[in-house]
Amino acid sequence: MSRKRSAFTLIEILIAVMLTGLITTLALAPVMFTVRRVVDVQSQYTDISALSRTVSFIKRDISSAMRMAANVILIREHESLGGNDDDILVILTTAPVAQNLPAGSIVYKIEDDRHDIIPGLYRWIFPGKLPEELDLETLNVEDAQLVLPGVKNFCVEVVGGSLKQDRRKEYRGALPSGIYMKISRTDKNSLSVNYGTGEEVQDEIEEFIVLP
């Protein structure tokens, strides 16, 4: 008799455990959804912040441009496979002085055609060199600094008196009245899908830099 009662008690325990687990799961489901949403929003905010910091980094180099030189800014237009802008920006600037280096040229360019590097936007410093002295086709990525990984689109244009007009994709010369920049980034953290079209959506930032 006691043996049957023991078996019945075991079944009761199993049922109780199952019910407790079910109730706990139902109770925690809204909490887990909320936590996941917070993590997603925080991740997106971090990605947008990274793009904003990159633009600020480039603006700092431009603001230190050697304004009296004949050729201060060089923009070379390039389009990579897939239609993304892969422009090259060269600035003759005093920014290297902050690193105890003589004033010279700074280059921004996307590197993503090698398997042994992290794809993204890179920055080269060439102390004591003018933009026209650089061979932009043979830049060594080992000498560069990774500014932001995952950058797929880097568009730079010179703007004239109107920020909406007189935009030039290729430029070499004195400091213009403004510069338009667009940076797009796609990686495992920022990649999302537009459920209406099924297309990939990139984190993107656009900014007009007005120069005095």
Side-chain angles (χ1 to χ4, degrees):
M1 185 70 177
S2 60
R3 187 177 302 170
K4 292 183 179 180
R5 181 58 183 166
S6 176
F8 184 73
T9 302
L10 179 61
I11 293 175
E12 285 181 333
I13 293 174
L14 291 175
I15 292 175
V17 170
M18 291 175 59
L19 290 175
T20 302
L22 180 60
I23 293 172
T24 303
T25 301
L26 293 175
L28 291 179
V31 177
M32 293 301 294
F33 175 80
T34 302
V35 171
R36 188 178 299 110
R37 179 60 181 162
V38 169
V39 171
D40 290 342
V41 171
Q42 187 177 32
S43 175
Q44 183 180 10
Y45 175 79
T46 301
D47 290 328
I48 297 299
S49 296
L51 288 170
S52 181
R53 286 195 302 270
T54 299
V55 172
S56 297
F57 198 71
I58 298 174
K59 285 170 64 176
R60 185 178 64 187
D61 286 339
I62 296 176
S63 66
S64 301
M66 300 178 66
R67 300 170 183 270
M68 301 304 294
N71 293 324
V72 177
I73 297 289
L74 185 154
I75 298 174
R76 180 168 296 176
E77 181 190 13
H78 183 259
E79 192 174 276
S80 61
L81 294 176
N84 288 326
D85 287 305
D86 186 12
D87 297 343
I88 302 176
L89 171 64
V90 186
I91 312 156
L92 182 61
T93 174
T94 61
V97 175
Q99 303 181 32
N100 295 321
L101 299 171
S105 296
I106 289 181
V107 180
Y108 285 92
K109 182 180 181 294
I110 291 177
E111 286 286 347
D112 60 358
D113 56 352
R114 286 176 46 176
H115 299 291
D116 57 339
I117 64 168
I118 301 175
L121 183 65
Y122 282 79
R123 176 179 183 260
W124 286 260
I125 300 178
F126 295 97
K129 287 197 174 183
L130 301 174
E132 54 265 31
E133 297 177 323
L134 304 178
D135 185 356
L136 300 177
E137 303 303 325
T138 60
L139 297 176
N140 188 355
V141 72
E142 279 78 12
D143 300 330
Q145 169 193 5
L146 177 60
V147 178
L148 184 64
V151 174
K152 296 294 184 182
N153 188 72
F154 181 55
C155 176
V156 186
E157 298 176 359
V158 163
V159 294
S162 171
L163 295 181
K164 302 299 181 182
Q165 300 175 356
D166 303 327
R167 285 162 62 166
R168 298 174 59 182
K169 294 180 176 295
E170 290 268 352
Y171 182 81
R172 178 196 292 268
L175 203 65
S177 59
I179 291 178
Y180 164 80
M181 243 190 318
K182 180 172 70 174
I183 304 176
S184 305
R185 184 182 187 221
T186 300
D187 63 10
K188 64 180 181 180
N189 294 321
S190 62
L191 181 62
S192 56
V193 175
N194 185 329
Y195 291 100
T197 63
E199 298 177 349
E200 294 180 355
V201 179
Q202 297 178 337
D203 287 326
E204 186 172 275
I205 188 170
E206 291 184 81
E207 186 156 343
F208 284 99
I209 302 172
V210 180
L211 303 171

